[in-house]
Amino acid sequence: MIWTVGICLVCMGICLPFYKHYKSHLRLPLACAYKSLGTLCAFLAALIAAIRLDPQCWFCAAAIFLYAVADTVLEFNFMFGAGVFLAGHILNIAFFLKLAPVSAFHLIGFLLIAGISGYVFWRWHKAIGKQLPAFIVYGAVLIMMSVSALACFTLHTAAGIMIAFGGALFFISDLVLLREVLFPSDKALDWIVMITYYSSVLLFGIACLQM
């Protein structure tokens, strides 16, 4: 318990503010280092779980490691960074489906979240422009990851509940990030993106320790 609180404090109390500080002062290498280190806090939790508790957690650990790589890549090339995130999502889909196989919950969740995403894309399609096909591909994989995570709630375990909330927060984080990328936005939105994102990956990592 103390260890999990510690990684959360390091992620949110050190990595996040230092990332924001160095990014605002245009010191991108240091900003990227702290940004990725925040995600690696969650990776450490999943890695320890994979080694000592359940080998299935290797999928989640590998996914979070790819997220950490994508954190840096995204700062230099948005589309390539999104591609690395997509690869991480695919690994997490495999992990979540092992925990909670496909059921009616997945279908209902997919229809609901796909409907929300479709409405957002319809409203913002002019701002997205020619990149719409790439956004749709990424969005479809994100939806599947989020739905697979939400379905873990049906396990009625601490790990399942954490994963479900993590999946919801990841979807919210990416939705706010899309708004921030497409339109002039207040700096507060970036804080929302990072807080929800870090909360999501931390929930994934800590959930592995509960298995």
Side-chain angles (χ1 to χ4, degrees), residues 2 28 53 56 58 67 86 95-96 107 165 172 180 184 193:
I2 295 176
L28 197 54
L53 299 176
Q56 290 186 108
W58 280 111
Y67 294 158
L86 187 145
F95 175 57
F96 300 149
L107 177 60
F165 276 103
I172 293 169
E180 185 183 28
V193 169

Side-chain angles (χ1 to χ4, degrees), residues 22-117:
Y22 285 119
K23 187 176 181 180
S24 66
H25 286 75
L26 303 179
R27 300 180 67 179
L28 197 54
L30 278 173
C32 289
Y34 277 104
K35 185 182 183 185
S36 292
L37 281 172
T39 304
L40 288 174
C41 290
F43 165 73
L44 283 176
L47 179 64
I48 290 171
I51 294 171
R52 302 189 62 179
L53 299 176
D54 191 334
Q56 290 186 108
C57 294
W58 280 111
F59 284 96
C60 188
I64 297 175
F65 182 79
L66 286 177
Y67 294 158
V69 173
D71 286 338
T72 292
V73 175
L74 202 68
E75 297 291 334
F76 298 95
N77 187 308
F78 183 82
M79 296 305 293
F80 188 45
V84 181
F85 266 113
L86 187 145
H89 292 338
I90 292 172
L91 288 173
N92 261 340
I93 289 170
F95 175 57
F96 300 149
L97 287 179
K98 280 180 173 290
L99 299 178
V102 175
S103 65
F105 187 98
H106 288 81
L107 177 60
I108 295 170
F110 181 83
L111 292 174
L112 177 62
I113 298 180
I116 294 171
S117 301

